[in-house]
Amino acid sequence: MVAADVVITNRTASSYEAQGVIIHGYYRDVVGAVMLSDAGGTFGVGFAGPVPAGEQRKVHVGFAIPRPDAGNVTIAVDPSDGQHKAVQFHGSAIGN
């Protein structure tokens, strides 16, 4: 399992509707990883509501990624709002 924290910082004067943000995990550059969640709420599947003006929200996500592939992981975050571009974070999850 690979865990990641995704943080949205709202530096505007109005609320940002974050529930539409899509988070994906990949390994070997193209293989989609299954997003994990748990009943205890340790791992979520995305943002539940808006980010108020001037504030931050964080979601802790986990992906099922085989250990041999943990050296080639991509986390993609797509706001899906028509205003902001998607971003990707690529690297090794081994030892972290």
Side-chain angles (χ1 to χ4, degrees):
M1 183 183 85
V2 170
D5 289 330
V6 178
V7 178
I8 292 178
T9 302
N10 183 356
R11 294 187 178 125
T12 70
S14 57
S15 182
Y16 177 74
E17 298 300 325
Q19 61 270 18
V21 174
I22 299 168
I23 305 166
H24 290 289
Y26 300 92
Y27 57 96
R28 287 189 235 150
D29 294 324
V30 295
V31 180
V34 174
M35 182 181 270
L36 307 172
S37 64
D38 65 328
T42 301
F43 295 101
V45 294
F47 292 91
V51 180
E55 294 189 22
Q56 282 186 336
R57 292 291 183 266
K58 175 173 72 173
V59 65
H60 192 62
V61 295
F63 295 97
I65 295 177
R67 179 152 177 78
D69 294 309
N72 183 5
V73 174
T74 300
I75 306 295
V77 181
D78 185 353
S80 302
D81 63 5
Q83 298 175 6
H84 301 91
K85 293 181 181 181
V87 294
Q88 291 186 353
F89 304 92
H90 181 79
S92 174
I94 296 173
N96 295 325

